[in-house]
Amino acid sequence: MTYQLQPISPEQHLDFIASRPSASHLQVPSWGEVKPDWRAESVGWFDGRDRLVGAGLALFRPLPRLRKCLAYLPEGPVIDWTAPDLDRWLAPLPGYLKDRGAFSVRMGPPVVTRRWDAEAVKAAIADPAVRRLRDTEATREEPGARALADRLRGLGWRPSDPDGTEGFAAGQPRYVFQVPLAGRTPQDLQRGFNQQWRRNVKKAEKAGVKVDRGGYADLAAFHELYLETAERDRFLPRPLEYFQRMWTALTTEDPDRMRLYLARHDGELLAAATMLTVGRHVWYSYGASTARRREVQPNNALQWRMMCDAHELGADVYDLRGITDTLDPDNHLLGLLRFKVGTGGQAVEYLGEWDLPLNRVLHKALGLYMSRR
């Protein structure tokens, strides 16, 4: 017998998420309001006793001029991915989404496959023969992850971006960097920093860098720094309205779901970042900084304050989000990886995102279109 899949209210969805230690911020009901180009629906898995045992946020992106859409469950759904009867959980999903017009389904199982501690990552960066993190020996391989990947393949699912070069460009990072907080004091966290990080935190304190929490009205100042960061680091920035919409949606759902931190020196804003919290998992979401006065180390001060606040919230993990898999010294993203490694945390590989075509012609056509963009 498979589980029954049916729509649930945002209130049911939120209550279910709250009963779990953590779930991705991309799987809370309010995230659908952040993505106006996608239609959002909360769905729930029910057992034979009509008990809600799983939940997910499904986003639907319509195709132009067609009554078909791509269905996407980012970093979800929130189900028991270790269950021996996983087939029963996933069996009703394709039909349910196809009835809602989906021609293809993408999901991101929140399942960790491998971890590399900071020393292993530093050694890989220093080795000129190593070009990608995935090719180095992990500090820890999570049991069951490979078997889960095999089970997904057996059910017709395929990795959406196995080489990190293809896909629908809607995906979430497969590699992230996390700082474990559970069972550690703030002093433990600082002792885990490398020497440069500890020195920079002290230098920022001595220089008088002040880190404060901001509000909705401060998003415009954050966004000015963010645009400067986008030009310097060569990425396409989001508009101010995106962050305003995010703030309104997330903080309406939970006043502490989203925070904004601002680092100033002598009154000048030098760095800013957003922080998201769901259960015992905290994410550094978006960051921005200026090239001015870097010698006072505002970014280290900012991250240290956010880590301390995450610890005070009772978080198990402070998540610095995406890192590059490439260790090419010419890649401009390698500097960001080095910065995150300095926290003494660990690189984490997730199972990645998986696609299930429901209409193979449309699925292939969209894949070709996105690969040529």
Side-chain angles (χ1 to χ4, degrees):
M1 182 185 71
T2 60
Y3 291 93
Q4 299 300 311
L5 193 60
Q6 62 189 60
I8 57 175
S9 68
E11 292 75 21
Q12 286 176 293
H13 188 172
L14 194 58
D15 286 346
F16 181 81
I17 293 293
S19 70
R20 297 299 184 269
S22 64
S24 171
H25 61 281
L26 306 178
Q27 280 294 298
V28 296
S30 59
W31 191 253
E33 301 175 44
V34 181
K35 299 291 184 181
D37 294 334
W38 298 70
R39 175 171 58 85
E41 181 179 314
S42 292
V43 298
W45 278 256
F46 290 83
D47 64 10
R49 293 175 289 177
D50 293 328
R51 181 181 59 176
L52 182 64
V53 293
L57 181 70
L59 302 174
F60 299 89
R61 184 67 177 263
L63 286 180
R65 297 185 295 277
L66 291 177
R67 294 182 179 179
K68 296 292 182 182
C69 55
L70 168 67
Y72 183 37
L73 290 88
E75 297 184 1
V78 184
I79 60 175
D80 185 1
W81 288 96
T82 65
D85 60 345
L86 183 63
D87 299 10
R88 292 174 53 202
W89 290 83
L90 295 180
L93 187 61
Y96 179 90
L97 297 175
K98 188 173 184 178
D99 288 344
R100 276 151 177 74
F103 69 89
S104 185
V105 183
R106 170 170 291 185
M107 66 177 180
V111 176
V112 173
T113 61
R114 295 186 290 176
R115 301 177 189 270
W116 294 261
D117 64 23
E119 291 303 318
V121 178
K122 286 190 287 186
I125 293 174
D127 188 345
V130 177
R131 309 304 290 179
R132 287 189 173 274
L133 182 63
R134 72 183 70 178
D135 297 329
T136 65
E137 183 178 355
T139 306
R140 173 180 169 83
E141 294 210 18
E142 297 297 330
R146 292 182 184 274
L148 174 57
D150 291 339
R151 292 176 72 181
L152 289 175
R153 290 188 179 90
L155 294 171
W157 295 83
R158 294 293 181 268
S160 60
D161 197 6
D163 300 318
T165 58
E166 301 175 354
F168 294 129
Q172 303 304 319
R174 180 170 180 173
Y175 296 88
V176 302
F177 204 86
Q178 298 176 348
V179 180
L181 304 181
R184 305 174 72 191
T185 66
Q187 292 73 30
D188 293 332
L189 295 178
Q190 270 214 8
R191 282 192 288 268
F193 293 168
N194 67 16
Q195 187 178 40
Q196 186 66 51
W197 250 82
R198 289 194 297 271
R199 184 183 299 119
N200 287 349
V201 169
K202 290 180 180 178
K203 185 180 293 186
E205 292 175 354
K206 187 175 182 180
V209 174
K210 303 296 183 184
V211 181
D212 299 304
R213 286 180 59 182
Y216 182 91
D218 298 299
L219 289 172
F222 157 79
H223 194 257
E224 287 186 20
L225 282 190
Y226 171 73
L227 292 178
E228 180 181 336
T229 305
E231 182 176 0
R232 183 178 66 243
D233 294 346
R234 292 173 276 170
F235 65 83
L236 185 65
R238 296 187 181 276
L240 173 60
E241 293 75 20
Y242 178 86
F243 296 99
Q244 293 172 328
R245 187 167 57 246
M246 183 190 300
W247 181 275
T248 300
L250 298 187
T251 59
T252 298
E253 180 178 86
D254 183 332
D256 226 14
R257 182 78 78 219
M258 179 177 178
R259 293 184 178 188
L260 175 64
Y261 288 84
L262 307 161
R264 293 184 172 91
H265 183 254
D266 290 341
E268 182 181 5
L269 182 62
L270 301 181
T274 60
M275 187 175 96
L276 306 180
T277 300
V278 180
R280 296 201 294 268
H281 201 122
V282 169
W283 294 264
Y284 156 59
S285 179
Y286 287 91
S289 64
T290 180
R292 300 185 302 277
R293 302 197 196 181
R294 285 190 169 183
E295 70 278 2
V296 300
Q297 310 303 330
N299 290 302
N300 295 87
L302 188 72
Q303 291 294 336
W304 175 233
R305 167 68 188 274
M306 291 166 69
M307 282 184 217
C308 289
D309 283 9
H311 183 273
E312 187 175 329
L313 287 168
D316 290 338
V317 176
Y318 180 74
D319 197 324
L320 287 141
R321 288 296 277 172
I323 57 173
T324 178
D325 173 47
T326 178
L327 302 178
D328 185 345
D330 295 327
N331 190 304
H332 70 284
L333 293 175
L334 190 60
L336 182 61
L337 174 59
R338 287 194 174 101
F339 177 80
K340 294 180 179 182
V341 170
T343 64
Q346 54 189 218
V348 177
E349 178 191 42
Y350 279 90
L351 198 61
E353 297 192 320
W354 294 69
D355 289 338
L356 182 67
L358 305 179
N359 181 316
R360 294 190 177 277
V361 174
L362 289 178
H363 176 86
K364 185 175 182 179
L366 183 61
L368 289 172
Y369 167 74
M370 295 304 298
S371 68
R372 292 170 180 170
R373 288 182 62 182

